[in-house]
Amino acid sequence: VNARNKEQWFLDINPRGKVPAIQNTRDGTIIYESAICNEYLSDYARQLDGNIPIEESCVWRLVPVDAGDKAAMRLLNDHIDTQLGPTQYTFLMNDDVLKDPELKEKLEEAL
């Protein structure tokens, strides 16, 4: 998918028009947003692994198993979505070199 020029078929399955987006061809499930895609793929892979205890599973773990670790992951994802991502985008898309120092400082704060 061309991130700057998305085709209609992609916009039809992803109302936000953002990448990534995935579609499960077995059941038609459509998922978008990076963090949600990761959790879905991890959960779906665990389903495919059957009744094997999670500690013994050969499935790649995209998402932590421990509740505290999952919460930390979600907090980090939230920070990236609400702070770092928008700040980085603003910095990278800036055409005014006079604003670069201010935007760079904001980006470093978000990091």
Side-chain angles (χ1 to χ4, degrees):
V1 173
N2 182 330
R4 293 181 185 256
N5 187 20
K6 297 170 189 86
E7 296 187 32
Q8 189 59 46
W9 68 264
F10 183 76
L11 297 172
D12 289 344
I13 65 167
N14 185 348
R16 294 184 183 173
K18 293 171 66 178
V19 292
I22 55 176
Q23 182 173 16
N24 183 329
T25 57
R26 290 185 177 183
D27 65 12
T29 301
I30 296 171
I31 309 293
Y32 46 91
E33 296 299 326
S34 298
I36 298 167
C37 286
N38 285 344
E39 287 193 48
Y40 173 80
L41 290 171
S42 181
D43 292 344
Y44 190 75
R46 286 184 189 138
Q47 285 178 352
L48 295 178
D49 229 14
N51 295 324
I52 300 172
I54 228 151
E55 303 80 33
E56 298 173 21
S57 173
C58 62
V59 172
W60 297 338
R61 291 188 203 146
L62 299 174
V63 177
V65 175
D66 178 76
D69 292 341
K70 263 189 179 178
M73 176 201 70
R74 288 182 176 127
L75 287 169
L76 180 59
N77 283 335
D78 179 70
H79 176 75
I80 291 167
D81 289 343
T82 62
Q83 303 297 315
L84 181 58
T87 306
Q88 177 189 27
Y89 181 81
T90 301
F91 177 76
L92 293 174
M93 301 309 286
N94 177 46
D95 291 332
D96 183 355
V97 294
L98 297 176
K99 288 187 177 181
D100 277 352
E102 173 192 349
L103 296 175
K104 181 181 176 188
E105 183 178 330
K106 288 181 179 181
L107 180 58
E108 288 174 350
E109 288 172 12
L111 286 170

